[in-house]
């Protein structure tokens, strides 16, 4: 018990600065996705491989994932009130971020 306490209390033997770059190996227990376009594809392999690298303007509230109307900001700073009978929303996004939309 004493050895474990001393090992946890001792400073790290090698306090090197983090190194940038390298290769991230990320394993998904599925076949290769049809593409890596996380906005178009809905397969397990695509969503689980791309989701950690994307931010959304808004997203479903993780505290209430079953709701179809409870959204929270991801890139936006606050949820806006709709105008034009609920047809227009003006979002303010976090400083230093950019957001591109596509018209469908």
């Amino acid at each position: 018990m004493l050895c474990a306490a001393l090992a946890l209390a001792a400073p790290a033997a090698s306090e090197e600065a983090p190194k940038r770059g390298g290769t991230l190996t990320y394993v998904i227990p599925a076949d290769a996705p049809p593409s890596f376009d996380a906005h178009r594809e809905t397969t397990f392999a695509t969503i689980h491989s791309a989701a950690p690298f994307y931010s959304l303007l808004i997203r479903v509230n993780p505290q209430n994932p079953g709701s179809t109307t409870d959204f929270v900001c991801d890139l936006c700073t606050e949820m806006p009130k709709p105008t034009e009978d609920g047809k227009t929303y003006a979002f303010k996004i976090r400083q230093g971020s950019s957001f591109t939309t596509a018209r469908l």
Side-chain angles (χ1 to χ4, degrees), residues 78-84 86-91:
E78 63 184 61
M79 292 297 292
K81 301 290 185 209
T83 59
E84 296 183 30
K87 296 179 184 176
T88 303
Y89 290 79
F91 289 93

Side-chain angles (χ1 to χ4, degrees), residues 24-48:
L24 171 65
T25 302
Y26 190 77
V27 179
I28 304 294
D31 291 332
S35 77
F36 286 103
D37 184 349
H39 298 286
R40 183 181 67 189
E41 304 295 343
T42 59
T43 65
F44 176 86
T46 301
I47 300 303
H48 282 70

Side-chain angles (χ1 to χ4, degrees), residues 29-76:
D31 291 332
S35 77
F36 286 103
D37 184 349
H39 298 286
R40 183 181 67 189
E41 304 295 343
T42 59
T43 65
F44 176 86
T46 301
I47 300 303
H48 282 70
S49 61
F53 306 103
Y54 278 89
S55 289
L56 304 170
L57 182 60
I58 59 173
R59 62 188 174 105
V60 173
N61 185 348
Q63 303 300 320
N64 189 12
S67 174
T68 59
T69 58
D70 189 9
F71 297 98
V72 295
C73 286
D74 194 4
L75 282 177
C76 64

Side-chain angles (χ1 to χ4, degrees), residues 7 10-19:
S14 174
E15 293 188 19
E16 297 178 19
K19 295 179 182 177

